[in-house]
Amino acid sequence: MASDQVTLLDFWPSPFGMRVRLALAEKGVKYEYTEEDLRNKSALLLQMNPVNKQIPVLVHNGKPVCESLIIVQYIDEVWKDSAPLLPSDPYQKAQARFWADFVDKKIYDLGRKIWSKKGEEQEAAKKDFIDSLKLMEGELGDKPYFGGETIGYVDIALVPFYSWFYAYETIGNFNIEAECPKLIAYCKSRRKNNMQRHVPFPVKKMFLCSE
């Protein structure tokens, strides 16, 4: 598929955009990167995602694909000859999709509550956030990756959020590593070994990122 034209509309600190960058890198797909200003969205972004008007958007041969996890699945299916991200076994594939969805419904949503709420609501969000990470820590177990021996769908779904943990800790005044040492060690190792170019060091400024 050397003649494919691939463009990614993105915003560098967005964990959702990081997912797509990681998937493209794992597959060895060459693409054009277009940085978006979320306060002044480009005509191309509005044209390619007229429904949600959000990043990331993957434009493949002129056709847009939106929503980060959907884009990652699309990449896995289109460039299927290298580095599979989802398991071939239907049950294992369903489990991977479950945990990736868990990241969006728990890790992302609770992280937003930590920085947007105060008092009892923030404290409740912090507790639920740590409880959710502990569940993921249990699912990881002693495996190097969630899917086994190689990077996969759940790893790509979760690790980009590691770059935002510093912001959550600073705003919420708590220590994630103290509560979930194994998961943080996994995130640090995966970022260093597989994802350093695409997952930045913890973001120390807070941005409002849209998926």
Side-chain angles (χ1 to χ4, degrees):
M1 308 184 83
S3 62
D4 283 359
Q5 293 183 342
V6 182
T7 301
L8 176 61
L9 310 182
D10 198 3
F11 177 51
W12 74 267
S14 167
F16 302 106
M18 292 176 207
R19 288 172 170 176
V20 181
R21 282 173 256 159
L22 286 170
L24 291 168
E26 283 299 308
K27 294 288 186 175
V29 178
K30 294 182 179 180
Y31 63 97
E32 177 182 344
Y33 179 88
T34 300
E35 179 78 4
E36 287 288 334
D37 179 354
L38 300 187
R39 295 180 180 177
N40 184 25
K41 297 176 182 179
S42 71
L44 180 60
L45 175 60
L46 299 178
Q47 176 188 354
M48 291 295 140
N49 190 0
V51 177
N52 294 326
K53 303 177 177 63
Q54 295 174 333
I55 56 91
V57 179
L58 185 77
V59 185
H60 181 206
N61 293 331
K63 298 178 179 179
V65 184
C66 306
E67 302 294 326
S68 62
L69 291 179
I70 293 173
I71 297 171
V72 172
Q73 292 181 54
Y74 177 84
I75 291 168
D76 197 36
E77 292 173 4
V78 172
W79 291 278
K80 58 186 176 182
D81 294 333
S82 63
L85 302 176
L86 278 159
S88 57
D89 177 78
Y91 178 76
Q92 293 179 358
K93 185 180 295 185
Q95 291 301 299
R97 286 173 171 160
F98 170 85
W99 285 108
D101 184 64
F102 182 87
V103 172
D104 279 358
K105 289 180 177 176
K106 290 291 187 178
I107 308 305
Y108 170 62
D109 282 354
L110 290 168
R112 285 184 66 92
K113 288 181 180 178
I114 289 169
W115 87 51
S116 64
K117 303 295 183 181
K118 301 293 182 182
E120 292 183 0
E121 286 184 287
Q122 186 187 69
E123 291 301 313
K126 285 160 53 177
K127 181 182 183 304
D128 289 347
F129 183 79
I130 292 298
D131 288 345
S132 297
L133 289 181
K134 286 181 176 180
L135 286 172
M136 295 213 71
E137 197 172 53
E139 175 63 17
L140 176 65
D142 295 323
K143 303 187 297 293
Y145 299 91
F146 278 91
E149 298 300 318
T150 58
I151 186 173
Y153 187 63
V154 181
D155 307 288
I156 286 175
L158 174 64
V159 173
F161 284 96
Y162 168 65
S163 65
W164 282 84
F165 283 6
Y166 177 90
Y168 301 158
E169 289 176 318
T170 301
I171 293 170
N173 191 29
F174 69 124
N175 189 317
I176 298 171
E177 188 169 14
E179 298 288 346
C180 306
K182 183 182 290 187
L183 190 68
I184 296 302
Y186 151 84
C187 288
K188 289 179 178 179
S189 176
R190 297 290 71 81
R191 182 195 171 275
K192 180 179 179 180
N193 294 338
N194 302 87
M195 307 176 179
Q196 194 163 355
R197 285 183 57 202
H198 307 284
V199 178
F201 283 111
V203 177
K204 296 188 179 183
K205 292 182 180 180
M206 276 58 78
F207 297 85
L208 182 59
C209 294
S210 300
E211 181 170 0

